[in-house]
Amino acid sequence: MAVKSVKPPRKSAISGKKYRRDPKLEFAFFLILADAILVTLIIAYVPYTKIDWDAYMSQVSGFLGGERDYSKLQGDTGPLVYPAGFLYIYSAIQFVTGGEVYPAQILFGVLYIINLGIILFIYAKTDVLPLWAFCLLCLSKRVHSIFMLRLFNDCFAMTLLHAALALLLLRRWNLGLIIFSFAVSIKMNILLYAPPLLLLMLKAMDISGVITALTGAAMVQILFALPFVVSHPFAYISRAFNLGRVFVHFWSVNFKFVPEPIFVSKQFAALLLITHLTLLAVFAHYKWCKREGGLLNFIHSQFLSIKLRLAPVSSFPLQMSGNNKSSFKLLKEEHIVTTMFVGNFIGILCARSLHYQFYSWYFFSIPYLLWRTPFHTLLRLVLFAGIEFCWNVYPSNFYSSILLLSLHLILLWGLWCGPEENPYVHSEASDTKLK
């Protein structure tokens, strides 16, 4: 009797000890604490750099003053070119901070720590990097500057994107899509994640689930845009979702070595777009859908699945069980994160212009991507340091932009040569059964 009564407490005590001594949890907490101290020192002692904050506040003031015509929402750096979610976020920031820089820096410091916590959660869930490599996430001078000294809207967009990705790892696809759409409403670069996300959705859910999730995401955009679309629809759509913008050659960190007349040409933009789509298709066919027999076979199987679901029950052939058997399995966390991060990185590689704040679009994925390559650890660290170096050369020049492109291409090659991964949680068990 005594032995029986002692056993449960001892088990819970042991499990409690294991939980408390989880090295990932302890190390993540240490990194967050150390970076929080660094963030505090940056805000206290490093001078703020005025770039877009005044323009943001001017645009928000126009919105709060009742202006709903996007073509009339202006700042000292130009017209408003972000979707409506940007206005709601920065209206809240203006309300909290009174439009003052110093309290806004504190707010962005908190945002940075929240983002770091989400990223550490993603890395811990995937178990791709060694524990010591988590430190790389805290070592970017440029990213700290983007958050605390520049106050860019990229920071909110990427934090929400990372939150959406964390929800996908928890298999909360509908909520993840809503948060993803919220991120898109702040800045359109989040759409670089859309193609790999759609592919993952088709793998993880049936067609009704995909439609439901996409409907939820679309509703976010409609609700946010409604005040502007009702009054001035053309101005909102043309300004908030302008895919043809040409950035100034001088501020570009990549492709600075390309002569300006070529850089701003439509032909160069078309070449990069074709390269982007081709690389996505190649990776989808040979890497992300390899287990399904390639991209075309995967699309065909999805089409067949939809057709069989819509067909009358009496017409179901016996092949339904064979064809649908492997559909809509649980995806491994590593496959979700790898597909999302690589898809975004391909978009970064093919972007015509990357401004300094755009580094936040992919910095937090770089350590993960490096450890998905077959490279030696020393080469991974050299690539990491090289990319960081290029983003800290100001202004960028012919040599720094060529170096950045070269490092990106080496990383892409490493991702291509990386080992094949099993995308499904239960595939190995089912394969063993079939044998």
Side-chain angles (χ1 to χ4, degrees):
M1 292 284 287
V3 174
K4 284 183 182 177
S5 63
V6 171
K7 272 185 181 177
R10 287 180 67 187
K11 278 187 178 180
S12 62
I14 290 169
S15 63
K17 271 188 180 179
K18 282 183 180 177
Y19 178 77
R20 285 195 299 272
R21 292 184 181 179
D22 183 349
K24 287 183 182 177
L25 192 64
E26 290 179 349
F27 196 62
F29 179 77
F30 166 76
L31 286 178
I32 290 172
L33 182 61
D35 216 342
I37 295 170
L38 178 59
V39 164
T40 303
L41 294 173
I42 290 171
I43 295 172
Y45 296 106
V46 181
Y48 157 77
T49 307
K50 178 183 173 182
I51 299 181
D52 282 344
W53 174 257
D54 289 344
Y56 291 169
M57 291 299 101
S58 297
Q59 292 158 356
V60 162
S61 296
F63 165 64
L64 294 176
E67 182 60 69
R68 297 297 179 263
D69 184 351
Y70 246 60
S71 64
K72 294 180 181 177
L73 292 173
Q74 303 276 338
D76 56 7
T77 58
L80 176 58
V81 292
Y82 308 122
F86 161 83
L87 287 173
Y88 301 129
I89 284 286
Y90 275 83
S91 294
I93 294 172
Q94 189 184 75
F95 176 78
V96 172
T97 65
E100 298 295 323
V101 169
Y102 183 68
Q105 286 184 280
I106 296 173
L107 180 63
F108 272 79
V110 173
L111 180 70
Y112 174 88
I113 295 302
I114 292 172
N115 179 66
L116 178 62
I118 296 170
I119 283 290
L120 288 170
F121 170 80
I122 292 170
Y123 274 54
K125 285 286 283 183
T126 54
D127 201 24
V128 169
L129 276 74
L131 205 52
W132 65 265
F134 284 28
C135 295
L136 298 176
L137 294 165
C138 306
L139 297 182
S140 174
K141 176 185 175 183
R142 177 61 65 186
V143 169
H144 281 91
S145 172
I146 290 168
F147 272 79
M148 273 71 71
L149 303 179
R150 272 47 173 200
L151 314 179
F152 287 121
N153 62 332
D154 307 75
C155 307
F156 275 94
M158 291 311 302
T159 300
L160 286 170
L161 181 278
H162 295 145
L165 181 53
L167 287 167
L168 300 188
L169 299 186
L170 297 172
R171 302 188 176 91
R172 301 290 300 276
W173 290 88
N174 289 326
L175 182 56
L177 261 289
I178 289 172
I179 302 300
F180 178 86
S181 185
F182 192 5
V184 172
S185 76
I186 297 173
K187 196 150 189 178
M188 274 181 38
N189 70 285
I190 304 299
L191 289 175
L192 292 176
Y193 286 94
L197 176 57
L198 179 60
L199 182 65
L200 291 170
M201 290 169 63
L202 290 170
K203 286 187 175 190
M205 298 186 285
D206 59 21
I207 190 62
S208 61
V210 172
I211 292 172
T212 301
L214 291 177
T215 301
M219 287 302 297
V220 171
Q221 296 299 322
I222 292 169
L223 289 173
F224 284 180
L226 201 57
F228 309 98
V229 172
V230 167
S231 55
H232 300 87
F234 179 76
Y236 177 76
I237 294 169
S238 62
R239 289 293 181 93
F241 297 98
N242 182 5
L243 297 173
R245 288 173 63 200
V246 180
F247 292 99
V248 179
H249 180 258
F250 175 81
W251 293 110
S252 183
V253 179
N254 66 331
F255 293 119
K256 193 69 173 286
F257 59 89
V258 176
E260 188 169 0
I262 297 175
F263 179 87
V264 299
S265 68
K266 291 183 178 179
Q267 292 83 356
F268 186 56
L271 174 63
L272 291 173
L273 177 61
I274 292 168
T275 305
H276 183 190
L277 297 176
T278 302
L279 286 172
L280 284 176
V282 169
F283 268 81
H285 185 74
Y286 292 102
K287 301 289 286 185
W288 304 333
C289 293
K290 189 171 184 179
R291 280 288 179 122
E292 294 84 1
L295 179 61
L296 296 178
N297 189 61
F298 174 72
I299 293 172
H300 179 263
S301 68
Q302 297 302 307
F303 176 76
L304 183 60
S305 174
I306 296 168
K307 189 176 177 182
L308 290 172
R309 285 174 64 87
L310 296 176
V313 177
S314 58
S315 67
F316 276 15
L318 289 175
Q319 65 183 2
M320 179 178 175
S321 59
N323 286 325
N324 265 6
K325 195 172 173 181
S326 62
S327 299
F328 321 128
K329 297 177 181 176
L330 293 178
L331 296 176
K332 284 188 173 179
E333 288 88 348
E334 289 83 359
H335 181 65
I336 294 173
V337 177
T338 300
T339 304
M340 290 286 280
F341 279 170
V342 174
N344 177 65
F345 178 69
I346 289 171
I348 295 292
L349 174 68
C350 299
R352 173 161 51 169
S353 180
L354 294 175
H355 289 189
Y356 284 96
Q357 65 266 35
F358 298 177
Y359 190 30
S360 62
W361 294 3
Y362 77 118
F363 165 75
F364 292 103
S365 69
I366 292 174
Y368 183 93
L369 294 174
L370 288 169
W371 261 262
R372 297 308 283 171
T373 70
F375 298 152
H376 189 275
T377 299
L378 180 60
L379 178 55
R380 291 170 178 155
L381 295 177
V382 168
L383 289 172
F384 178 86
I387 292 172
E388 175 70 17
F389 167 78
C390 292
W391 281 96
N392 282 283
V393 173
Y394 178 81
S396 61
N397 55 54
F398 180 93
Y399 301 103
S400 66
S401 63
I402 278 203
L403 177 59
L404 181 63
L405 178 62
S406 302
L407 295 172
H408 282 172
L409 290 173
I410 293 169
L411 178 52
L412 185 71
W413 174 250
L415 292 167
W416 176 256
C417 297
E420 180 189 349
E421 62 179 18
N422 177 13
Y424 298 108
V425 172
H426 299 301
S427 286
E428 290 170 0
S430 59
D431 289 349
T432 307
K433 271 188 179 180
L434 287 171
K435 286 178 184 176

